[in-house]
Amino acid sequence: MGERRPDTGPVTIPAIIPAAVRRAAAEQAWQQLRPEVAAEAVAALGPAEGDAFLARADLALHDVHEPLATLYGEAADELLARALRTALAAAVERPEQLRRIDRRREVDPAWFQRSRVQGYVCYVDRFCGTLDRLPEHLDHLAELGTTYLHLMPLLQPRPGENDGGYAVADYRAVDPRLGTMADLEEVATALHDRGMALCIDLVLNHTAREHAWAQGWLAGDPAYAGFYTAFPDRTLPDAYDATIPEVFPDRAPGSFSWVPEACGGAGGWVWTTFWPYQWDLDYANPEVTLAMLGEITWLANRGVDVFRMDAVPFMWKRLGTSCQNQPEGHSLLQLLHALTRLAAPGVIFKAEAIVSPDDLVGYLGGHDRYRPECELAYHNQLMVLLWSSLATGDVRLARQSLRRMRPIPPSATWCTYVRGHDDIGWAVADEDAAAVGLDGFAHRRFLNDFYAGRFPGSFARGALFQENEVTGDARVSGSAASLCGIEAALADGDDAALDAGVRRLVLLYSVAYAYGGIPLLYMGDELALRNDAGYLADPALAPDNRWMHRPPMDWDAAARRRDPATLEGRVWQEVRRLGEVRRAQLALRGGVESTVVDAGSDAVLVWRRKHPRSGAFVGLANFSPSPQAVDADTVTGFGSFEQVHGSDGVLPVRDGRVVVPGLGFAWYAEP
C-alpha cells in the first residue's frame, strides 16, 4: 500500500524522442479532443468566454501535454482530457469580478514586473489578529505604496505543532484562529479594490498527516491509493537516506517516519522530508497532481492572485540523488502552472526554492529550452550577500557571486528582500569564496558568529538556529533591525550607534528596492521592530527561535511613524521614500537583468540596469562605515545621469571621484 518501486519513478518518454515527435503527439491528441472541449466550453461559459478558454488551451497545449507524457507516459491523452475539464470547471465557477482582473492582466501580462509593484509580508495574527480586521489597516500599507500583500501560512493546519502553519490539514479552510474562508474572500476583495494583489502560501510537497487524503490513504480508501509513500522495512529508506541531506538533523533526522497504521496496519516507513507529521505526496501518481490542481484553482477562485509554491524542489524523488531539483519536479510545475492559468489567467506562481543559484533559475523557466513554471522567485543569493557585505564592509564576494549568476528569462522576475520569516542560511558557494581569497566554511562560520553577537565588535543581536556542533553548520535568526545594530544601540543608549544601525537598515533596503523585480518589505521593518522574546512563553513556539524575528505588530509604534523625531518616524520616512522614487524609475521594472560593475572601491556595491524603454540606472551602496570614493564616470554616465535619490543629498564630484558617505547609498538615472 503506497509502496514505491525501487526504481527512479514512473514510466517516462525517453529523452531521445525528438521534440517534434512529442509535439506531434500533443497535436494529435488535441485534434481529437478539441471539438468536445470547445462544445463544453461554449455551453458552460457562453460564446465569448468559451472561445477565450479555448484560445488559452490552444496556446497551452504543449505546456500541458508534454509534461503529462513525460510524467505519466501512455496515460497522457486520457489525463489531458481530465485535466482540461478540471480547469474548465474552475473557469465556469470563477466569479465575474475576478474574470475582469484576468482580462486586464491578459492585456498587460507583465503587470507584476512594473516598478509600481512592491510587496509587504506579514502573519495575519501578528499584523492584525484576525482576517476580518485586516481591511482596517490597509491605509498603513497604502502609505508605503504596497501593491502586493503576502499573508503568511493561513490555511487550516493540524492541531498542535504544525511547522508554523506549513502542515496543512485542509486547503479549503482557513485556520479558525484567523477567521474563515469567507473572511479571506473579503480581504481579497478589499485588496483588489485598492489595486493590491493577494499572495498566500500553498504547500505542494506534503500535507499534514491529519489531511483527509492522508487519512483516506491510511484507511485503504481506493480513491487515495498511492497518494503517499510507505516502505515495510528500512531497506529502501536507508538507500534513499544515504544521499538525501537532512533538513532538520537535530529534531527530525532522516526522511522517513515509522507509522504503525501504514501498510495495511502492519506498519511502514512513511516519506516525511521535513517533520514526522508532514507526509510527502507522491506525484508519481497522476491522481495526486489532479487533486492538487483542484485545490489551486479552488483557492484562485477565492481571490488569490499569487501562490507561493512551498518546498517545490522536493516534489519528485529519485534513488541515488538528493531528491531535490529533479527534472520531473520542473515538469510538474510547468503542468500545474499551465492548467491553473487556463482557469485563472491572472494568477501567477512564486517558487519557494532556496537552492543554489544555478538550480534556482530553472524554477523561473530557465532551461536549455524555456518552459514556463513560476513567474517569481526569491533572490535569496542577493539577500545573503547583503548581510555578508554588511558584516565585512567588503563587496568583493557579492560582486563575484552576482556576476556568476545565470540570467533569468525576461518573462520572470525576482522578489528582492532584506529579511523574511525564516532563518538565514549562508548560501555562499565555496567556489565564489575561493575566487576572492576566502575559505567558504570559515566565512560561513564567521557570519554565524557575527550575527549571533559572538564576534568581537559585532553590532548584531541575533541567535543561531539549528546549530550542528558536529559539523559547525548553523543558520541565523533575528529581526532586520536587531541584526543591523538598532537593538544593541537602544540598549546601550548610544545615539551614534543608533544612527549607524538605522543607516544599515536603510542601506540594505536601498538595494532591495533598486536591484530590480519586486521588493518585499517584511512586517515591522518599516518601524525598525526588534527581536521579540515573547515567543518563549508559548510552549508550542519556544523550541523555535525563528519566532524572535516574527514580532507582533506594534501599532503604538506605528502611530509614531509620522513623527520624524522618533525612530519609527525616521525609518518609515526613509522606506516610504525608497518606494516613491522607485515607482518613477522605469529601469527598475522586471524583465531585465542588473549588471554588477566595479567602480573602484571594494566597499561599494555598484549595479547598472537599463530597460529597453528607459534610460540607464545606476545604484551604489557603501557597506563600509567610512566614506569611500568611486569613479564618477562609472556611476554618473560621464556626467549625463542625474542623482534621483540618496542617503545624504546630492553627492559632489571632485577630481573624477564621487565620495559616498559611510553606510550611504545613491541612485542615478539617465534622463
Side-chain angles (χ1 to χ4, degrees):
M1 173 181 173
E3 294 178 16
R4 177 181 287 272
R5 300 187 307 278
D7 58 18
T8 60
V11 176
T12 61
I13 290 182
I16 58 173
I17 295 179
V21 175
R22 297 198 301 270
R23 295 178 74 83
E27 296 285 358
Q28 182 177 359
W30 182 225
Q31 185 177 11
Q32 294 177 353
L33 181 61
R34 192 180 191 278
E36 297 177 21
V37 174
E40 293 170 18
V42 171
L45 292 168
E49 289 284 353
D51 187 64
F53 179 88
L54 200 64
R56 293 196 291 270
D58 286 335
L59 289 172
L61 171 62
H62 300 292
D63 290 325
V64 175
H65 189 275
E66 289 188 27
L68 284 172
T70 298
L71 297 169
Y72 307 119
E74 295 178 358
D77 290 359
E78 180 236 336
L79 291 170
L80 174 66
R82 292 179 60 194
L84 290 178
R85 287 187 168 103
T86 298
L88 176 57
V92 171
E93 295 170 0
R94 192 151 176 81
E96 175 58 31
Q97 65 269 30
L98 297 181
R99 293 185 190 181
R100 289 199 297 270
I101 294 173
D102 289 338
R103 284 193 287 273
R104 292 186 64 86
R105 291 176 180 169
E106 285 190 291
V107 171
D108 180 17
W111 63 272
F112 58 90
Q113 294 186 324
R114 304 212 173 275
S115 58
R116 64 175 176 265
V117 178
Q118 62 186 68
Y120 191 88
V121 184
C122 64
Y123 286 88
V124 173
D125 57 341
R126 305 250 147 181
F127 183 67
C128 58
T130 53
L131 282 165
D132 61 345
R133 296 189 58 192
L134 196 149
E136 68 191 65
H137 294 292
L138 291 184
D139 285 346
H140 179 90
L141 302 182
E143 287 181 43
L144 288 167
T146 304
T147 58
Y148 165 113
L149 177 61
H150 177 188
L151 300 179
M152 295 299 292
L154 50 72
L155 299 180
Q156 183 171 318
R158 71 187 296 270
E161 190 176 355
N162 55 46
D163 191 27
Y166 290 101
V168 177
D170 188 348
Y171 291 105
R172 301 195 181 196
V174 165
D175 185 337
R177 295 168 297 184
L178 304 179
T180 66
M181 188 58 69
D183 292 331
L184 182 61
E185 291 185 72
E186 290 184 11
V187 165
T189 299
L191 290 172
H192 293 154
D193 288 345
R194 287 177 175 252
M196 299 179 186
L198 171 63
C199 173
I200 71 166
D201 293 81
L202 187 77
V203 184
L204 269 75
N205 179 70
H206 48 263
T207 70
R209 63 170 293 158
E210 290 79 7
H211 193 284
W213 298 347
Q215 292 304 300
W217 174 74
L218 273 186
D221 186 337
Y224 302 107
F227 266 51
Y228 303 85
T229 305
F231 298 100
D233 57 48
R234 286 294 310 183
T235 303
L236 278 171
D238 286 344
Y240 277 106
D241 271 343
T243 57
I244 298 176
E246 294 175 308
V247 178
F248 298 117
D250 57 342
R251 295 179 57 202
S255 297
F256 301 87
S257 299
W258 178 256
V259 177
E261 305 95 327
C263 297
W269 292 93
V270 173
W271 205 306
T272 57
T273 296
F274 294 88
W275 299 103
Y277 50 79
Q278 290 169 310
W279 292 4
D280 286 35
L281 289 161
D282 189 350
Y283 284 96
N285 177 1
E287 299 302 326
V288 173
T289 304
L290 291 175
M292 186 57 74
L293 172 64
E295 304 304 277
I296 296 171
T297 54
W298 190 89
L299 285 165
N301 283 348
R302 311 279 82 73
V304 177
D305 303 283
V306 184
F307 287 97
R308 175 188 178 273
M309 308 301 257
D310 185 72
V312 289
F314 302 89
M315 290 169 61
W316 197 271
K317 326 299 188 190
R318 173 171 278 109
L319 190 63
T321 72
S322 66
C323 291
Q324 297 181 35
N325 307 309
Q326 298 301 304
E328 292 88 349
H330 289 286
S331 294
L332 269 171
L333 269 180
Q334 180 185 7
L335 175 63
L336 291 171
H337 178 268
L339 290 168
T340 297
R341 287 176 61 85
L342 286 181
V347 166
I348 61 173
F349 286 1
K350 176 168 62 175
E352 190 277 322
I354 308 304
V355 295
S356 74
D358 285 345
D359 288 329
L360 177 57
V361 172
Y363 293 99
L364 292 169
H367 305 279
D368 291 339
R369 298 180 183 180
Y370 171 69
R371 295 175 3 213
E373 295 182 30
C374 296
E375 287 84 357
L376 307 176
Y378 292 96
H379 205 322
N380 180 67
Q381 187 78 352
L382 179 65
M383 181 272 293
V384 167
L385 293 167
L386 292 180
W387 289 107
S388 172
S389 301
L390 198 63
T392 61
D394 191 310
V395 303
R396 286 177 297 166
L397 178 62
R399 273 204 307 255
Q400 160 67 23
S401 301
L402 292 170
R403 283 174 169 174
R404 198 169 62 84
M405 288 188 69
R406 291 168 50 201
I408 65 174
S411 57
T413 292
W414 290 116
C415 290
T416 53
Y417 64 112
V418 167
R419 196 68 191 88
H421 74 288
D422 223 340
D423 52 277
I424 301 176
W426 303 112
V428 173
D430 289 341
E431 175 185 352
D432 289 328
V436 295
L438 297 173
D439 175 88
F441 177 82
H443 185 62
R444 291 188 292 271
R445 192 151 198 168
F446 158 73
L447 292 173
N448 279 323
D449 288 342
F450 188 91
Y451 284 109
R454 296 178 174 183
F455 194 81
S458 170
F459 48 75
R461 294 295 180 267
L464 295 183
F465 176 72
Q466 294 283 346
E467 183 177 15
N468 187 323
E469 295 183 358
V470 176
T471 65
D473 291 334
R475 280 126 49 201
V476 164
S477 296
S479 73
S482 293
L483 295 181
C484 282
I486 292 174
E487 179 179 327
L490 290 172
D492 295 341
D494 187 332
D495 290 342
L498 179 61
D499 179 72
V502 170
R503 289 180 68 86
R504 292 186 194 103
L505 182 60
V506 175
L507 177 74
L508 296 179
Y509 270 106
S510 77
V511 182
Y513 270 65
Y515 201 77
I518 301 176
L520 303 180
L521 179 64
Y522 188 73
M523 186 197 83
D525 283 0
E526 74 274 23
L527 304 171
L529 295 191
R530 279 80 67 199
N531 290 340
D532 172 43
Y535 78 98
L536 294 171
D538 186 338
L541 304 182
D544 186 346
N545 69 16
R546 290 176 297 181
W547 287 102
M548 72 166 51
H549 57 252
R550 303 166 182 171
M553 187 63 169
D554 186 340
W555 289 107
D556 289 336
R560 297 191 289 271
R561 68 187 184 274
R562 296 187 184 90
D563 182 354
T566 65
L567 169 63
E568 296 83 7
R570 180 177 175 187
V571 173
W572 172 272
Q573 288 190 358
E574 295 277 10
V575 172
R576 186 180 179 186
R577 181 62 179 156
L578 289 172
E580 288 175 347
V581 179
R582 168 193 159 79
R583 290 191 288 277
Q585 302 303 315
L586 183 58
L588 294 183
R589 64 163 292 166
V592 295
E593 294 286 321
S594 289
T595 302
V596 176
V597 298
D598 186 345
S601 170
D602 288 338
V604 182
L605 183 68
V606 181
W607 66 100
R608 186 179 188 273
R609 296 179 61 78
K610 190 177 189 306
H611 188 269
R613 301 191 67 177
S614 79
F617 174 94
V618 175
L620 55 155
N622 179 11
F623 284 86
S624 167
S626 303
Q628 299 290 319
V630 295
D631 180 66
D633 290 339
T634 300
V635 301
T636 69
F638 295 92
S640 65
F641 301 167
E642 297 177 358
Q643 185 179 332
V644 295
H645 194 29
S647 55
D648 298 87
V650 176
L651 303 182
V653 177
R654 297 190 183 94
D655 300 323
R657 309 286 284 177
V658 173
V659 177
V660 190
L663 303 174
F665 75 91
W667 295 352
Y668 293 87
E670 185 178 4

